[in-house]
mmCIF file of all heavy atoms in Angstrom:
data_model
loop_
_atom_site.group_PDB
_atom_site.id
_atom_site.type_symbol
_atom_site.label_atom_id
_atom_site.label_comp_id
_atom_site.label_asym_id
_atom_site.label_seq_id
_atom_site.Cartn_x
_atom_site.Cartn_y
_atom_site.Cartn_z
ATOM 1 N N HIS C 1143 244.033 -70.738 106.184
ATOM 2 C CA HIS C 1143 242.918 -70.407 105.307
ATOM 3 C C HIS C 1143 243.282 -69.236 104.413
ATOM 4 O O HIS C 1143 244.066 -68.380 104.760
ATOM 5 C CB HIS C 1143 241.687 -70.053 106.138
ATOM 6 C CG HIS C 1143 241.221 -71.191 106.991
ATOM 7 N ND1 HIS C 1143 240.657 -72.320 106.480
ATOM 8 C CD2 HIS C 1143 241.265 -71.361 108.339
ATOM 9 C CE1 HIS C 1143 240.344 -73.157 107.479
ATOM 10 N NE2 HIS C 1143 240.716 -72.593 108.610
ATOM 11 N N SER C 1144 242.671 -69.187 103.270
ATOM 12 C CA SER C 1144 242.902 -68.093 102.339
ATOM 13 C C SER C 1144 241.928 -66.972 102.640
ATOM 14 O O SER C 1144 240.987 -66.731 101.885
ATOM 15 C CB SER C 1144 242.749 -68.585 100.903
ATOM 16 O OG SER C 1144 243.628 -69.643 100.661
ATOM 17 N N ALA C 1145 242.100 -66.323 103.758
ATOM 18 C CA ALA C 1145 241.164 -65.296 104.178
ATOM 19 C C ALA C 1145 241.090 -64.198 103.149
ATOM 20 O O ALA C 1145 242.064 -63.785 102.567
ATOM 21 C CB ALA C 1145 241.577 -64.726 105.527
ATOM 22 N N GLY C 1146 239.868 -63.729 102.950
ATOM 23 C CA GLY C 1146 239.665 -62.664 101.994
ATOM 24 C C GLY C 1146 239.426 -63.204 100.597
ATOM 25 O O GLY C 1146 239.041 -62.466 99.706
ATOM 26 N N THR C 1147 239.639 -64.485 100.397
ATOM 27 C CA THR C 1147 239.415 -65.073 99.081
ATOM 28 C C THR C 1147 238.457 -66.257 99.148
ATOM 29 O O THR C 1147 238.228 -66.915 98.157
ATOM 30 C CB THR C 1147 240.739 -65.545 98.455
ATOM 31 O OG1 THR C 1147 241.313 -66.551 99.285
ATOM 32 C CG2 THR C 1147 241.698 -64.401 98.296
ATOM 33 N N GLU C 1148 237.907 -66.540 100.296
ATOM 34 C CA GLU C 1148 236.933 -67.616 100.422
ATOM 35 C C GLU C 1148 235.671 -67.056 101.055
ATOM 36 O O GLU C 1148 235.730 -66.246 101.967
ATOM 37 C CB GLU C 1148 237.475 -68.749 101.300
ATOM 38 C CG GLU C 1148 238.659 -69.481 100.670
ATOM 39 C CD GLU C 1148 239.177 -70.590 101.546
ATOM 40 O OE1 GLU C 1148 238.628 -70.771 102.644
ATOM 41 O OE2 GLU C 1148 240.116 -71.279 101.152
ATOM 42 N N ALA C 1149 234.533 -67.479 100.585
ATOM 43 C CA ALA C 1149 233.272 -66.984 101.098
ATOM 44 C C ALA C 1149 233.159 -67.222 102.583
ATOM 45 O O ALA C 1149 233.468 -68.288 103.083
ATOM 46 C CB ALA C 1149 232.114 -67.667 100.361
ATOM 47 N N GLY C 1150 232.704 -66.209 103.286
ATOM 48 C CA GLY C 1150 232.465 -66.340 104.705
ATOM 49 C C GLY C 1150 233.677 -66.185 105.565
ATOM 50 O O GLY C 1150 233.583 -66.236 106.786
ATOM 51 N N ASP C 1151 234.860 -66.019 104.979
ATOM 52 C CA ASP C 1151 236.090 -65.924 105.756
ATOM 53 C C ASP C 1151 236.347 -64.481 106.118
ATOM 54 O O ASP C 1151 236.624 -63.662 105.264
ATOM 55 C CB ASP C 1151 237.252 -66.484 104.939
ATOM 56 C CG ASP C 1151 238.491 -66.701 105.797
ATOM 57 O OD1 ASP C 1151 238.522 -66.175 106.915
ATOM 58 O OD2 ASP C 1151 239.404 -67.401 105.321
ATOM 59 N N SER C 1152 236.252 -64.145 107.388
ATOM 60 C CA SER C 1152 236.429 -62.755 107.823
ATOM 61 C C SER C 1152 237.503 -62.652 108.879
ATOM 62 O O SER C 1152 237.401 -61.881 109.807
ATOM 63 C CB SER C 1152 235.102 -62.207 108.363
ATOM 64 O OG SER C 1152 234.658 -62.989 109.463
ATOM 65 N N VAL C 1153 238.527 -63.481 108.774
ATOM 66 C CA VAL C 1153 239.614 -63.479 109.747
ATOM 67 C C VAL C 1153 240.272 -62.110 109.778
ATOM 68 O O VAL C 1153 240.563 -61.517 108.750
ATOM 69 C CB VAL C 1153 240.644 -64.552 109.400
ATOM 70 C CG1 VAL C 1153 241.828 -64.492 110.353
ATOM 71 C CG2 VAL C 1153 239.998 -65.928 109.470
ATOM 72 N N ASP C 1154 240.495 -61.592 110.983
ATOM 73 C CA ASP C 1154 241.054 -60.254 111.171
ATOM 74 C C ASP C 1154 242.551 -60.335 111.397
ATOM 75 O O ASP C 1154 243.002 -60.670 112.473
ATOM 76 C CB ASP C 1154 240.349 -59.595 112.367
ATOM 77 C CG ASP C 1154 240.836 -58.194 112.609
ATOM 78 O OD1 ASP C 1154 241.756 -57.762 111.904
ATOM 79 O OD2 ASP C 1154 240.296 -57.545 113.509
ATOM 80 N N LEU C 1155 243.325 -60.039 110.354
ATOM 81 C CA LEU C 1155 244.771 -60.118 110.479
ATOM 82 C C LEU C 1155 245.369 -58.924 111.198
ATOM 83 O O LEU C 1155 246.511 -58.971 111.624
ATOM 84 C CB LEU C 1155 245.406 -60.219 109.088
ATOM 85 C CG LEU C 1155 245.417 -61.594 108.449
ATOM 86 C CD1 LEU C 1155 245.913 -61.501 107.029
ATOM 87 C CD2 LEU C 1155 246.274 -62.560 109.248
ATOM 88 N N LEU C 1156 244.626 -57.840 111.313
ATOM 89 C CA LEU C 1156 245.196 -56.631 111.904
ATOM 90 C C LEU C 1156 245.008 -56.566 113.404
ATOM 91 O O LEU C 1156 245.595 -55.715 114.054
ATOM 92 C CB LEU C 1156 244.570 -55.384 111.269
ATOM 93 C CG LEU C 1156 244.854 -55.182 109.791
ATOM 94 C CD1 LEU C 1156 244.315 -53.848 109.335
ATOM 95 C CD2 LEU C 1156 246.335 -55.280 109.504
ATOM 96 N N GLN C 1157 244.203 -57.426 113.958
ATOM 97 C CA GLN C 1157 243.958 -57.365 115.390
ATOM 98 C C GLN C 1157 244.056 -58.748 116.018
ATOM 99 O O GLN C 1157 243.053 -59.405 116.254
ATOM 100 C CB GLN C 1157 242.568 -56.766 115.665
ATOM 101 C CG GLN C 1157 242.342 -56.486 117.139
ATOM 102 C CD GLN C 1157 241.055 -55.719 117.347
ATOM 103 O OE1 GLN C 1157 240.640 -54.960 116.503
ATOM 104 N NE2 GLN C 1157 240.409 -55.923 118.471
#
Side-chain angles (χ1 to χ4, degrees):
H1143 298 291
S1144 303
T1147 62
E1148 293 180 359
D1151 193 346
S1152 60
V1153 176
D1154 182 356
L1155 279 173
L1156 295 186
Q1157 189 172 330

